[in-house]
Amino acid sequence: MTHGQVPSFDRSIHEELYDYIERHGSVAPPDLAEAVGVDPETMTHEIAILKRDGYVEEHGGEFQVVLEAGTAEEYVSSDLTFVVRPARQSDLTGIVGTIRAITAEKTYLVAESVAEQINFEGVLLRNNDVERRMFFVATVNDDVVGWAHIEAPQLEKLSHAAKLTVGVLPTYRRHGMGSHLLHRGLEWARSHDYKRVYNSIPATNQNAARFLEDHGFETEAIRKDHYQIEGSYTAELMMARTLDTD
């Protein structure tokens, strides 16, 4: 599967298997065989073909879809060691908890909606004819403490632009974790042919605004009184960055 490619299959069984895994996030082999209605031997062969072609991988004894995103990278800052890597379905609970801990500050409402969406769906990564969604995580001792999220509809008129959110728990800030997460998200967007990435935050969140500006984002619009936070109206900063492409 090449960068930016929406799955397309020559055989219906491959499409059925992929679609079921994509809809459910992570599926055990017996459950997949039963759901699709094939015998285990046939499913094993067909899954092997999907693995060979880069559409599906196995993690923790379950199948999940593949979104090309690189490998895990370890960093050391002061006395802190952390890893930044592509997220897996098993990271969903940690990502939701991390986002909710940060959005409790009422300074990142778009991210709050992301957490509610993936928690409701129960699926972390998406790659279908309607939408594409990717996450990266920062972990300390295998616990999720930060995330980057990129999402875009699969519509021709919007196929050049993606939404991004990024955040790190307060305890782990000032170690470069947010910058590494943002870099991975932007590189993934660039490799999948997105030309622009945007992020919207309350105007009161000046720390986030400065962070994004330091990484090439510009404020393109301001929507006055867009948010109501603790009884007060707050403007929304609509920030975006154009990605350099080959």
Side-chain angles (χ1 to χ4, degrees):
M1 183 168 59
T2 59
H3 288 314
Q5 179 180 347
V6 176
S8 177
F9 304 98
D10 295 329
R11 299 175 60 187
S12 61
I13 184 60
H14 291 164
E15 184 172 0
E16 290 180 41
L17 290 167
Y18 180 92
D19 286 350
Y20 191 87
I21 297 168
E22 196 273 342
R23 287 197 310 272
H24 293 82
S26 184
V27 186
D31 296 335
L32 179 61
E34 181 179 358
V36 179
V38 298
D39 62 86
E41 183 177 349
T42 298
M43 189 204 68
T44 297
H45 170 73
E46 303 301 349
I47 284 291
I49 302 302
L50 291 176
K51 287 181 178 179
R52 180 200 68 187
D53 294 341
Y55 289 105
V56 169
E57 65 183 358
E58 189 170 355
H59 183 79
E62 296 194 346
F63 300 125
Q64 61 185 47
V65 299
V66 173
L67 279 74
E68 297 178 32
T71 59
E73 298 178 350
E74 185 176 271
Y75 301 94
V76 179
S77 173
S78 301
D79 59 346
L80 179 69
T81 299
F82 63 92
V83 172
V84 175
R85 61 169 172 78
R88 301 183 286 263
Q89 175 66 20
S90 57
D91 295 314
L92 190 149
T93 300
I95 291 173
V96 170
T98 298
I99 295 177
R100 284 177 171 171
I102 291 173
T103 57
E105 304 169 356
K106 302 299 181 183
T107 57
Y108 206 173
L109 303 187
V110 172
E112 183 177 356
S113 68
V114 171
E116 296 311 309
Q117 179 182 2
I118 63 174
N119 190 56
F120 175 77
E121 293 179 4
V123 178
L124 192 62
L125 310 180
R126 305 307 305 262
N127 190 30
N128 55 52
D129 291 335
V130 177
E131 64 178 324
R132 177 182 284 132
R133 184 169 69 216
M134 181 65 196
F135 279 85
F136 293 88
V137 291
T139 65
V140 175
N141 297 326
D142 294 327
D143 293 320
V144 175
V145 298
W147 87 93
H149 144 265
I150 312 93
E151 182 175 9
Q154 299 285 31
L155 299 174
E156 183 177 356
K157 293 180 180 179
L158 295 174
S159 62
H160 66 292
K163 176 178 69 176
L164 177 144
T165 65
V166 60
V168 175
L169 291 175
T171 302
Y172 296 99
R173 293 172 187 170
R174 303 190 184 282
H175 290 280
M177 199 177 290
S179 295
H180 288 300
L181 284 164
L182 180 60
H183 174 75
R184 290 294 292 266
L186 294 176
E187 284 301 306
W188 187 87
R190 182 182 290 108
S191 72
H192 285 76
D193 298 326
Y194 295 109
K195 305 298 188 294
R196 292 177 58 74
V197 173
Y198 60 94
N199 193 339
S200 297
I201 56 175
T204 51
N205 193 349
Q206 288 300 304
N207 288 335
R210 284 192 293 270
F211 171 78
L212 292 172
E213 288 171 353
D214 289 343
H215 290 83
F217 283 74
E218 297 180 350
T219 300
E220 296 193 330
I222 299 175
R223 292 202 286 186
K224 295 182 178 180
D225 298 337
H226 183 66
Y227 298 118
Q228 185 178 20
I229 302 175
E230 296 180 347
S232 299
Y233 290 103
T234 301
E236 177 188 51
L237 301 182
M238 303 175 69
M239 305 184 70
R241 171 175 165 170
T242 299
L243 301 178
D244 298 326
T245 56
D246 296 333

